[in-house]
Amino acid sequence: MRGLEALDFFIENWHSKMREFEEFCEFDALVEYHFGNETKVYDAPVVIEKFFERKITFGGIEDINEFLPEEIEFDPTSGNLYIKRNLFEIKIAPRIY
């Protein structure tokens, strides 16, 4: 599943783990950043805008910028979001407390 449909399904599945605000929702996640043979793992908040472009941003991670929903994929088996570009892949796994 890709794009806005994937993002909406992800939010619906993980709604109970998200903090809701007027213009965005936020959740804690384990973020894996794969660039070539290099892998970095971060424990960071992820912010998803509710309106307009629906951008996805990561708190406190300088290596990773913002992304649009068209760039994401949702894996319903694992419940994770993936952002894939030519040179790198990002895996977003919500924290379960």
Side-chain angles (χ1 to χ4, degrees):
M1 193 177 316
R2 297 184 63 102
L4 279 175
E5 179 186 16
L7 183 59
D8 289 338
F9 196 76
F10 174 80
I11 291 171
E12 185 177 309
N13 278 346
W14 291 102
H15 187 266
S16 65
K17 300 295 179 194
M18 296 185 182
R19 295 176 293 280
E20 294 285 330
F21 299 95
E22 192 171 313
E23 296 184 11
F24 64 92
C25 56
E26 178 183 68
F27 61 95
D28 297 322
L30 182 65
V31 179
E32 290 182 20
Y33 174 70
H34 303 278
F35 183 77
N37 292 333
E38 182 182 357
T39 299
K40 295 180 181 178
V41 179
Y42 302 94
D43 185 12
V46 177
V47 177
I48 301 173
E49 288 183 4
K50 290 184 180 179
F51 308 106
F52 306 112
E53 292 182 335
R54 310 270 315 262
K55 288 187 235 174
I56 301 168
T57 56
F58 304 91
I61 304 176
E62 294 180 13
D63 295 342
I64 305 173
N65 296 320
E66 59 189 33
F67 299 93
L68 298 173
E70 295 81 29
E71 300 177 278
I72 67 166
E73 294 180 19
F74 176 70
D75 178 7
T77 307
S78 66
N80 297 327
L81 275 181
Y82 294 89
I83 299 171
K84 298 178 182 180
R85 287 192 179 166
N86 292 340
L87 300 175
F88 66 84
E89 175 180 309
I90 298 169
K91 174 184 165 187
I92 304 168
R95 285 273 187 204
I96 301 172
Y97 296 103

